[in-house]
């Protein structure tokens, strides 16, 4: 059963959106793992030994579990109990590696699991808690690995994942020498590809991408710097659909009650404004038939990641370029669809950014946006208040290093603001920085959306929401058959403040369709 579930996740990455269900399934399939999550939480913040975690069953069942291996290799671990188990297992793995000699017999199962754990740590950008003495031991093993590679000496294979679980292999001295070793097992080769070769490829790609506009706005410069340091989001697989749809079919599936007309019989031009690391661009390109995409972002590091992943997916209909939304008017292009999900609220004036994008929209064109809700983000606001109240709060907010973010995550889990862990972004360094330490963020309300729509020749088509929420709204406001009354939605949110806890995700259309 674990093998079948793992295969399902490989084939349908969108299932990772139901992460709590996946972890619950893993715990039911492996009661040893489920019990370990309870035990790890009870002992936390003290790390637990494999005997304490897994009892008489030992660690063997866990490291052989194909579903757990799949979770480690293909998505960020977004469950604090499982994170606590893996943090303890990582420390144990470090001890095993420290004791390993180059001539020792290789335990292939342990090595493969260690590589999977190291790949997870790279995906979440080393978000797991790490005490100073443990970090010092990891640094010592890293130096040992680096020196052996530089000298061309034999290396104990377990050293590689043990080091890679604490620091990217690309950062150790003479990392290229590790790649040149000829006889690594397949699991180690996959780890070297992830941590050394792919980042180098991203840097090469980024250096050659076009720059469409200058970036000199003060806020744009700050936001660009954040995403150069922490490209967002980290992802492995895009959630692609099995078939491409027309634009009308695509929007109709998201907004079944909406009334609109879509262009037919010709290719459509799509702008993804603020594409980040490209997952959304890939999903759009995989979903829309006859679509030509231009995807822009401030960050070259993010764009390099996006372009590499797009090439790996075999897609050729997405053009990536560096640009500032504020200056896009000078590019001289118009679009049938403009997507700016989760972008404009990081500008100095989100509505000015919206106006610029509106000027690029063809008559009858569609716009898709994501904005943070003042009401929906109150848990995040409370967590930020906890951080700001620290003695070093201003310094932490000004310079949120990975070490600072790791420490704040642990403190928040012991605070009244622990519900912030319900946000998926809490479990990865770059995403947690975006969630709690962003250099620029605005939160708006539904009346703000209504005011802009009414004043800029746009028609509101609807919010993207789960069916139960649409049903609840329909029961409350049965006269609003198209579910587009923003006054009604404002009242609904007041009564159900978690409705837009993630974002307001909605579509509008230019009048004159």
């Amino acid at each position: 059963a674990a093998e079948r579930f793992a295969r399902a996740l490989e084939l349908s990455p969108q299932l990772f959106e139901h992460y709590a269900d996946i972890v619950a399934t893993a715990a039911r399939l492996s009661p040893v793992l489920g019990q370990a999550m309870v035990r790890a939480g009870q002992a936390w913040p003290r790390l637990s030994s494999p005997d304490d975690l897994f009892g008489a069953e030992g660690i063997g069942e866990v490291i052989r579990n194909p579903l757990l291996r799949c979770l480690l290799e293909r998505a960020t671990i977004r469950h604090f109990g499982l994170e606590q188990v893996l943090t303890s297992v990582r420390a144990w793995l470090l001890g095993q590696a420290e004791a390993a000699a180059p001539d020792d017999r290789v335990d292939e199962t342990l090595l493969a699991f260690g590589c999977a754990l190291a790949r997870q740590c790279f995906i979440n950008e080393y978000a797991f808690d790490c005490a100073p003495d443990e970090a010092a031991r990891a640094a010592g093993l890293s130096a040992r690995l680096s020196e052996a590679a530089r000298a061309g000496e034999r290396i104990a294979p377990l050293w590689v994942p043990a080091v890679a679980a604490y620091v990217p292999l690309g950062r150790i001295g003479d990392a290229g020498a590790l790649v040149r070793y000829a006889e690594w097992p397949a699991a180690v080769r996959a780890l070297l590809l992830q941590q050394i070769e792919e980042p180098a490829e991203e840097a090469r790609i980024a250096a050659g991408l076009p720059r469409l506009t200058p970036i000199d706005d003060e806020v744009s410069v700050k936001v660009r710097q954040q995403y150069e340091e922490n490209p967002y989001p980290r992802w492995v697989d895009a959630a692609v659909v099995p078939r491409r749809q027309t634009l009308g079919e695509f929007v109709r599936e998201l907004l079944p009650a909406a009334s609109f007309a879509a262009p037919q019989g010709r290719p459509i031009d799509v702008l993804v404004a603020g594409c980040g690391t490209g997952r959304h661009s890939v999903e759009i390109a995989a979903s829309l038939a006859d679509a030509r995409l231009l995807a822009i972002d401030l960050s070259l590091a993010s764009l390099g990641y996006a372009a590499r992943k797009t090439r790996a997916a075999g897609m050729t209909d997405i053009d990536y370029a560096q640009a500032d939304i504020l200056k896009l008017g000078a590019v001289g292009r118009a679009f049938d669809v403009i997507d700016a999900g989760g972008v404009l609220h990081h500008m100095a004036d989100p509505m000015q950014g919206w106006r610029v994008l509106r000027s690029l929209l063809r008559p009858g064109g569609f716009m898709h946006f994501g904005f943070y809700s003042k009401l929906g983000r109150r848990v995040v606001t409370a967590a930020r208040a906890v951080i700001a109240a620290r003695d070093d709060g201003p310094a932490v907010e000004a310079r949120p290093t990975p070490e600072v973010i790791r420490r704040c995550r642990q403190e928040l889990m012991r605070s009244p603001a622990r519900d912030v862990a319900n946000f998926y972004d809490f479990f990865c360094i770059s995403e947690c920085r975006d969630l709690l330490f962003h250099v620029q963020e605005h939160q708006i309300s539904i009346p703000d959306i209504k005011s802009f729509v009414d004043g800029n020749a746009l028609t509101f088509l609807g919010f993207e929401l789960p069916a139960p929420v649409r049903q609840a709204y329909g029961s409350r406001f049965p006269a609003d058959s198209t579910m587009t009354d923003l006054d009604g939605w404002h009242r609904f949110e007041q009564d159900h403040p978690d409705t837009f806890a993630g974002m307001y995700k909605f579509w509008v259309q230019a009048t004159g369709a």
Side-chain angles (χ1 to χ4, degrees):
E3 291 176 357
R4 296 290 183 172
F5 274 111
R7 182 60 177 155
L9 291 172
E10 292 171 0
L11 294 173
S12 302
Q14 57 267 35
L15 294 175
F16 282 112
E17 296 174 7
H18 306 280
Y19 203 87
D21 294 336
I22 295 172
V23 174
T25 298
R28 285 196 295 272
L29 292 175
S30 174
V32 171
L33 179 61
Q35 292 162 9
M37 287 190 279
V38 175
R39 292 167 179 165
Q42 292 171 341
W44 198 259
R46 178 180 59 82
L47 298 183
S48 302
S49 70
D51 288 344
D52 290 337
L53 288 174
F54 308 114
E57 301 289 340
I59 196 172
E61 177 187 331
V62 174
I63 67 175
R64 289 191 300 268
N65 187 308
L67 180 54
L68 178 59
R69 285 269 303 277
C70 179
L71 293 178
L72 292 174
E73 294 175 353
R74 307 193 81 90
T76 302
I77 294 296
R78 303 185 191 275
H79 185 280
F80 208 65
L82 184 52
E83 176 181 318
Q84 291 168 331
V85 170
L86 295 171
T87 303
S88 289
V89 172
R90 181 180 67 167
W92 171 80
L93 180 70
L94 175 61
Q96 298 296 301
E98 288 173 316
D103 295 328
D104 290 348
R105 184 183 66 84
V106 177
D107 183 333
E108 297 289 349
T109 301
L110 177 60
L111 181 64
F113 175 82
C115 289
L117 178 57
R119 288 170 67 178
Q120 171 58 212
C121 293
F122 185 85
I123 292 169
N124 69 42
E125 297 172 293
Y126 304 91
F128 293 173
D129 191 34
C130 186
D133 61 331
E134 185 182 351
R137 289 171 52 208
L141 184 61
S142 177
R144 187 176 172 188
L145 173 64
S146 177
E147 181 56 34
R150 185 179 296 110
E153 298 173 352
R154 295 189 64 191
I155 293 171
L158 196 58
W159 294 355
V160 180
V163 170
Y166 290 90
V167 62
L169 292 173
R171 294 184 188 174
I172 74 167
D174 202 8
L178 290 175
V179 178
R180 293 190 291 272
Y181 274 71
E183 298 183 357
W184 288 124
V188 176
R189 289 199 303 271
L191 180 59
L192 297 175
L193 175 67
Q194 178 205 48
Q195 299 200 4
I196 298 176
E197 298 175 73
E198 289 180 347
E201 182 185 0
E202 290 162 19
R204 289 192 297 269
I205 292 172
L209 290 174
R211 278 76 158 174
L212 299 185
T213 74
I215 300 172
D216 50 25
D217 174 77
E218 180 180 359
V219 171
S220 298
V221 169
K222 290 179 180 179
V223 172
R224 178 185 62 180
Q225 183 59 35
Q226 172 171 332
Y227 291 124
E228 295 291 4
E229 295 172 1
N230 294 107
Y232 173 93
R234 304 292 300 191
W235 60 282
V236 178
D237 297 305
V240 299
V241 296
R243 68 181 180 89
R244 290 189 170 186
Q245 303 168 295
T246 66
L247 177 59
E249 291 170 335
F250 181 75
V251 178
R252 174 68 61 211
E253 189 169 289
L254 294 170
L255 306 174
S259 175
F260 60 86
Q264 297 180 357
R266 63 174 177 83
I268 58 172
D269 293 303
V270 180
L271 171 66
V272 183
C275 66
T277 52
R279 177 175 181 176
H280 190 52
S281 305
V282 168
E283 292 172 350
I284 292 174
S287 300
L288 288 177
D290 296 324
R292 300 171 297 205
L293 273 70
L294 171 63
I296 65 159
D297 201 83
L298 295 170
S299 162
L300 281 175
S302 297
L303 288 165
Y305 190 98
R308 178 184 67 78
K309 295 290 287 184
T310 300
R311 293 179 185 182
M315 291 188 171
T316 59
D317 44 8
I318 306 176
D319 294 325
Y320 289 100
Q322 186 184 40
D324 188 341
I325 288 173
L326 289 173
K327 299 181 183 296
L328 276 180
V331 174
R333 293 184 59 177
F335 300 90
D336 300 289
V337 180
I338 296 177
D339 187 290
V343 175
L344 298 185
H345 49 223
H346 295 314
M347 302 179 72
D349 182 352
M351 298 307 164
Q352 174 59 21
W354 195 347
R355 282 189 287 272
V356 172
L357 295 178
R358 174 66 181 89
S359 71
L360 306 178
L361 190 65
R362 289 177 177 146
F366 294 77
M367 307 184 86
H368 174 245
F369 290 103
F371 282 100
Y372 289 142
S373 161
K374 290 179 181 177
L375 197 55
R377 296 279 282 187
R378 66 195 186 284
V379 172
V380 175
T381 301
R384 287 177 173 165
V386 171
I387 295 169
R390 294 166 48 111
D391 291 341
D392 60 347
V396 165
E397 292 175 313
R399 185 59 181 162
T401 63
E403 294 77 12
V404 162
I405 294 174
R406 280 193 289 269
R407 190 166 65 247
C408 286
R409 289 180 72 246
Q410 297 300 320
E411 292 174 3
L412 285 168
M413 288 304 298
R414 298 190 294 270
S415 79
R418 66 179 64 88
D419 284 350
V420 73
N422 292 328
F423 286 79
Y424 276 6
D425 282 2
F426 186 73
F427 293 91
C428 174
I429 291 295
S430 64
E431 296 175 19
C432 191
R433 182 176 181 183
D434 191 270
L435 179 72
L436 298 175
F437 302 93
H438 206 287
V439 296
Q440 178 73 28
E441 179 177 314
H442 292 275
Q443 299 170 2
I444 68 169
S445 65
I446 291 177
D448 295 326
I449 298 172
K450 184 176 187 295
S451 176
F452 190 95
V453 167
D454 291 345
N456 288 273
L458 294 168
T459 299
F460 182 77
L461 298 181
F463 289 110
E464 290 182 24
L465 288 166
V469 176
R470 293 198 302 267
Q471 292 166 1
Y473 177 85
S475 297
R476 172 77 186 278
F477 299 100
D480 182 16
S481 59
T482 60
M483 298 192 174
T484 56
D485 180 1
L486 286 169
D487 292 327
W489 278 109
H490 179 54
R491 292 195 295 273
F492 186 86
E493 185 185 18
Q494 301 302 306
D495 295 337
H496 306 278
D498 291 328
T499 301
F500 301 100
M503 271 187 286
Y504 298 121
K505 294 182 180 180
F506 61 93
W507 289 78
V508 297
Q509 185 176 23
T511 56

